Amino acid sequence: MLEVLDQSTLNFDQGSLFILNISLAIIMFGVALDLKVADFKAILTNPRSFLAGILSQFIFLPFLTWVFVLFVNPPPSVALGMFLVAACPGGNVSNFLSHLAKGNAALSVSLTGFSTLFSIFLTPFNFALWAGFYAPSAKILREISLSYFDVFQTVALILGIPLIVGILINSRFPSWSQKATKILKPLSILIFAAFVAIAFIGNYKLFVQFIGLIFLWVLGHNLLGLASGYSLSKIFGLDLPDTKTLTIETGIQNSGLGLVLIFTYFDGLGGMAIIAAWWGIWHIISGMSIALYWKNIPSIK
């Protein structure tokens, strides 16, 4: 059964990939319209929380993912999907969830912006590094001969350029940016949700066949992400609002970027694609649950 998952490919055409690319770029542009240069400067006044967030996102989570993969020993394509999701930056919905949880919204926005910029370099690097430490996934990488410079270009095009352009526009036209982001954010999320729904319908049988295993793998992996942010916050001695933010920032990953890279460079490899797709659904459910919990019990330690 697991061999079928490894050898399967999702039904996905170039038109769908184009829509996914556009929707992610619009989402990132909408996030950037909320960012100001001052947001990045503000990190200098609270560097400990920012450092903890970066370590949790780009070092601790990939390491825990590698440990998790060694423990559960999933099929190679599933392991690749986990390594790729862990190497992606935080998802844009984390800003909304941090605000809902009564966390540090400014820290959340700053971490999203910084992690997105860093991901241009660190996503290809982390993916190659940790996937290379697991022999079955390393074998697939060798067979595909993935060009990490091409991955770098793709991430820069989809995330980096919209981010920089959005920040520049917000600095010049702040009133227009506020109006535009109110339209762009819900519109882009609706487009992305519609894309996920269409992709699910087109691959319904494959999802149904493997959802039991996929659910457990993603559940465990997502819990590691949340635990990574929470534990690093405690190690660094952060206050409760910052702890909430780091937990959510690390548990919400940009799985949409992962899907773009999977369909662009791995031809929709079954295990990778299903892991990333289910992550895109599940992390919103888990993130919303923990945000509502913290919102209703703000005094919990």
Side-chain angles (χ1 to χ4, degrees):
M1 178 178 175
L2 295 181
E3 290 182 359
V4 175
L5 178 59
D6 253 349
Q7 297 169 3
S8 63
T9 56
L10 265 65
N11 179 25
F12 201 81
D13 56 29
Q14 287 299 313
S16 299
L17 179 59
F18 177 76
I19 293 173
L20 177 58
N21 281 319
I22 293 298
S23 63
L24 282 179
I26 294 174
I27 289 173
M28 197 65 252
F29 180 65
V31 170
L33 289 177
D34 272 342
L35 291 171
K36 300 181 288 292
V37 175
D39 292 328
F40 296 94
K41 292 180 179 178
I43 297 242
L44 297 175
T45 65
N46 192 15
R48 187 172 56 175
S49 296
F50 172 72
L51 177 61
I54 294 300
L55 289 175
S56 177
Q57 180 76 51
F58 289 113
I59 296 178
F60 207 43
L61 177 57
F63 169 73
L64 290 177
T65 299
W66 176 68
V67 173
F68 183 65
V69 165
L70 292 179
F71 179 74
V72 301
N73 193 30
S77 65
V78 169
L80 276 177
M82 291 179 179
F83 288 128
L84 182 56
V85 168
C88 287
N92 67 295
V93 74
S94 63
N95 305 148
F96 165 75
L97 293 175
S98 290
H99 178 74
L100 178 64
K102 298 181 180 178
N104 187 336
L107 175 64
S108 176
V109 171
S110 298
L111 279 173
T112 297
F114 265 96
S115 68
T116 299
L117 281 176
F118 290 165
S119 71
I120 296 174
F121 308 98
L122 291 180
T123 290
F125 173 78
N126 259 343
F127 175 58
L129 177 68
W130 294 102
F133 286 157
Y134 184 61
S137 59
K139 180 181 178 183
I140 295 179
L141 289 181
R142 288 194 298 270
E143 291 174 350
I144 293 176
S145 298
L146 181 65
S147 169
Y148 298 103
F149 179 72
D150 289 343
V151 176
F152 162 80
Q153 288 181 307
T154 301
V155 177
L157 183 64
I158 295 174
L159 298 186
I161 293 177
L163 181 71
I164 294 171
V165 172
I167 293 173
L168 291 175
I169 290 177
N170 188 26
S171 65
R172 296 292 299 275
F173 310 102
S175 59
W176 181 89
S177 297
Q178 290 180 2
K179 295 176 183 178
T181 190
K182 292 179 180 179
I183 299 173
L184 285 176
K185 279 190 175 181
L187 177 62
S188 58
I189 291 174
L190 283 174
I191 294 173
F192 184 73
F195 157 80
V196 172
I198 293 171
F200 177 81
I201 293 171
N203 298 275
Y204 175 76
K205 291 183 178 179
L206 194 61
F207 272 99
V208 169
Q209 184 177 1
F210 296 106
I211 190 61
L213 285 172
I214 294 296
F215 177 80
L216 292 176
W217 285 327
V218 171
L219 173 64
H221 194 199
N222 181 237
L223 285 174
L224 280 180
L226 295 168
S228 172
Y230 185 83
S231 59
L232 258 292
S233 299
K234 294 304 179 184
I235 291 172
F236 276 74
L238 305 184
D239 60 21
L240 183 57
D242 285 5
T243 296
K244 293 177 179 181
T245 295
L246 261 66
T247 302
I248 292 171
E249 280 291 323
T250 316
I252 302 295
Q253 294 294 95
N254 195 335
S255 55
L257 173 64
L259 284 172
V260 168
L261 298 177
I262 290 165
F263 288 113
T264 302
Y265 301 106
F266 293 89
D267 295 325
L269 186 61
M272 288 188 80
I274 295 179
I275 283 289
W278 187 247
W279 246 96
I281 298 170
W282 179 252
H283 73 172
I284 294 176
I285 297 173
S286 65
M288 182 66 73
S289 298
I290 196 171
L292 289 173
Y293 178 74
W294 264 325
K295 175 188 177 183
N296 293 326
I297 313 178
S299 62
I300 187 170
K301 298 297 180 181

